[in-house]
């Protein structure tokens, strides 16, 4: 283990090809559970981290479960301050949430401590949660900084970073992993070593090829199911259930509907640019305008009329929708934008996006502009557009 600092040797470093479980692959595996097998060996490093954080007059230390929380607890105990565990959000790869604190943590100066920082996804999620709760993140500390984390973390997260040791390694977004491109299989770990499953659901969904396949399959299935002269009874019933809702819902429905309008892509791109996310801004502009343009092309191929041309008694609200029905450009734009932005949103932002995107489609049915299969086809197109951009430009995480 020549070349590794003492603290890294405690984690039994192993070179190879590994799924790190955070949408990243890497060439080094650390048995982080082994770090805490002999707590006394970490005391010098805990003291060193404590002294670095003491300089920032912290009120609390936050650590993502599991390993980071163990270390953060030790540092908080040393400094005699509060400890905030970061619990992984259910169903999310990198989302974390904090426990309720009597009186709240608004204005608290908080440092985030983790056992090892590579791409910094867990640390970034904890920092975002702290800011959402009104706390003031002042520093990040870790036993180990892997690869270029020592430079990337302070530049990307905007707080000082104090690693007790630096470990040479490389990590790549899973879909751009050169080891995968070269056909190198994942390295088999010793029995009993904790590792995320190589074919976990999150990894499958995060693969743009999978999303592209799902989008194209949905597009073909819905296009094949629609007819130019009639509507199936099940689709008609679903349409009338939504279209028949009270007229009082129209004002908020109109507002939601704008998230899939032609101008939604440029508007979202502008917001991302102002937020200091230029790469995301380019992606949103490309996905939004691409989805809208392709929806017009598909309409001309399928040529399904609007609901009023196929069903009697359609309740139209707002300005009458012109042109053809299948598929919904609004649904396509909303799904494309939501899918592109989702990796860059915090827990609150993700919850909002996952609620707003399907509501855009429902509002188009409510105002009488589209039938349910139009919405499903639009959603499939939007997913395919975002996945294609992902494959061409690379995932922005």
């Amino acid at each position: 283990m020549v070349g590794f600092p003492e603290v890294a040797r405690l984690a039994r470093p192993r070179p190879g090809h590994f799924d790190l479980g955070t949408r990243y692959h890497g060439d080094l595996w650390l048995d982080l559970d082994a770090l805490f097998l002999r707590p006394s060996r970490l005391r010098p490093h805990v003291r060193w981290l404590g002294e670095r954080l003491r300089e920032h007059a912290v009120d609390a230390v936050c650590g993502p479960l599991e390993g980071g929380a163990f270390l953060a607890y030790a540092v908080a105990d040393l400094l005699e301050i509060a400890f905030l565990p970061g619990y992984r959000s259910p169903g999310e790869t990198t989302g974390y949430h904090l426990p309720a604190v009597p009186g709240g943590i608004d204005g608290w100066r908080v440092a985030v401590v983790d056992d090892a920082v590579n791409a910094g996804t867990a640390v970034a999620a904890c920092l975002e949660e702290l800011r959402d709760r009104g706390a003031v993140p002042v520093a990040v500390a870790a036993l180990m900084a892997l690869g270029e984390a020592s430079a990337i973390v302070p530049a990307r997260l905007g707080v000082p970073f104090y690693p007790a040791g630096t470990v040479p390694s490389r990590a790549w977004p899973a879909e751009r992993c050169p080891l995968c491109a070269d056909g190198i299989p994942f390295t088999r770990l010793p029995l009993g070593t904790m590792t995320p499953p190589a074919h976990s659901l999150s990894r499958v969904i995060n693969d743009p090829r999978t999303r592209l396949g799902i989008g194209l399959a949905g597009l073909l299935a819905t296009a094949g199911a629609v007819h130019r002269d009639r509507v199936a009874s099940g689709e008609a019933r679903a349409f009338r259930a939504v279209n028949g809702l009270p007229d009082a819902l129209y004002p908020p429905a109109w507002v939601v509907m704008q998230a899939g309008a032609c101008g939604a892509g440029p508007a979202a791109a502008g917001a991302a640019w102002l937020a200091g996310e230029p790469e995301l801004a380019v992606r949103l502009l490309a996905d939004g305008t691409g989805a809208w343009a392709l929806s017009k092309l598909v309409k001309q191929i399928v040529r399904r009329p609007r609901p009023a041309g196929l069903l009697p008694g359609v309740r139209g609200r707002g300005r009458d929708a012109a042109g053809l029905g299948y598929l919904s450009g609004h649904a396509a734009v909303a799904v494309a934008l939501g899918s592109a932005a989702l990796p860059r949103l915090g827990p609150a932002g993700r919850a909002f996006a996952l609620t707003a995107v399907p509501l855009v489609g429902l509002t188009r049915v409510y105002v009488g502009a589209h039938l349910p299969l139009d919405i499903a086809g639009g959603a499939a197109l939007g997913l395919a557009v975002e996945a294609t951009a992902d494959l061409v430009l690379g995932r922005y995480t």
Side-chain angles (χ1 to χ4, degrees):
M1 298 186 186
V2 177
F4 290 106
E6 176 192 359
V7 67
R9 291 197 293 271
L10 295 175
R12 301 184 290 208
R14 179 184 177 91
H17 178 199
F18 305 97
D19 182 347
L20 303 179
T22 56
R23 299 198 297 263
Y24 279 78
H25 291 182
D27 64 356
L28 181 71
W29 181 263
L30 298 173
D31 185 358
L32 298 177
D33 290 336
L35 277 174
F36 303 98
L37 185 61
R38 305 288 183 184
S40 61
R41 296 182 180 179
L42 294 180
R43 285 175 187 161
H45 306 293
V46 170
R47 285 196 293 268
W48 186 88
L49 295 175
E51 290 305 314
R52 303 289 81 73
L53 299 182
R54 194 189 302 275
E55 299 170 1
H56 292 274
V58 292
D59 300 304
V61 179
C62 172
L65 287 165
E66 283 84 10
F70 296 152
L71 185 64
Y73 185 91
V75 173
D77 179 62
L78 176 70
L79 298 179
E80 298 182 339
I81 56 177
F83 161 66
L84 299 171
Y87 295 98
R88 192 180 294 276
S89 299
E92 298 182 14
T93 304
T94 58
Y96 287 86
H97 65 276
L98 302 178
V101 177
I105 60 172
D106 188 55
W108 284 23
R109 296 173 59 83
V110 183
V112 174
V113 172
D114 207 352
D115 44 14
V117 176
N118 195 342
T121 51
V123 167
C126 287
L127 289 173
E128 186 166 22
E129 171 70 0
L130 286 166
R131 292 189 177 103
D132 288 345
R133 296 279 292 272
V136 181
V138 294
V140 171
L143 287 178
M144 291 174 285
L146 279 65
E148 300 178 356
S150 294
I152 293 174
V153 169
R156 179 181 174 187
L157 303 183
V159 292
F161 180 40
Y162 302 104
T166 300
V167 181
S169 72
R170 294 174 297 171
W172 311 272
E175 64 277 2
R176 299 205 299 269
C177 175
L179 303 180
C180 288
D182 292 340
I184 299 174
F186 287 113
T187 303
R188 184 181 298 275
L189 291 165
L191 186 64
T193 301
M194 295 298 293
T195 179
H199 299 288
S200 63
L201 177 62
S202 63
R203 182 184 168 207
V204 171
I205 293 175
N206 285 326
D207 188 338
R209 293 167 297 185
T210 301
R211 299 198 305 279
L212 177 60
I214 294 173
L216 291 177
L219 187 60
L220 292 173
T222 53
V226 302
H227 301 279
R228 298 180 183 178
D229 58 350
R230 66 185 187 276
V231 181
S233 58
E235 186 181 13
R237 286 195 299 272
F239 171 79
R240 295 194 186 283
V242 178
N243 184 241
L245 291 172
D247 290 340
L249 296 176
Y250 177 69
W254 183 89
V255 174
V256 173
M257 200 163 55
Q258 305 317 304
C262 179
W273 186 276
L274 293 174
E277 299 277 8
E279 190 175 347
L280 178 59
V282 172
R283 177 65 59 83
L284 292 171
L285 183 61
D287 286 352
T289 55
W292 186 264
L294 285 173
S295 72
K296 300 300 183 184
L297 175 62
V298 175
K299 285 176 186 288
Q300 295 303 316
I301 296 173
V302 178
R303 304 196 65 80
R304 186 193 206 190
R306 295 280 182 178
L310 295 170
L311 293 173
V314 172
R315 301 179 65 178
R317 297 178 174 91
R319 187 171 58 184
D320 290 341
L324 298 165
Y326 181 91
L327 46 70
S328 168
H330 281 70
V333 170
V335 169
L337 295 179
S339 299
L342 210 59
R344 299 299 299 157
L345 299 175
R350 283 192 289 271
F352 175 80
L354 293 173
T355 302
V357 168
L359 281 178
V360 170
L362 288 175
T363 60
R364 296 299 287 165
V365 176
Y366 170 72
V367 300
H370 287 290
L371 292 157
L373 282 178
D374 304 344
I375 304 303
L381 176 64
L383 186 64
V385 167
E386 184 276 331
T388 301
D390 211 343
L391 288 169
V392 173
L393 303 176
R395 187 68 163 169
Y396 184 56
T397 56

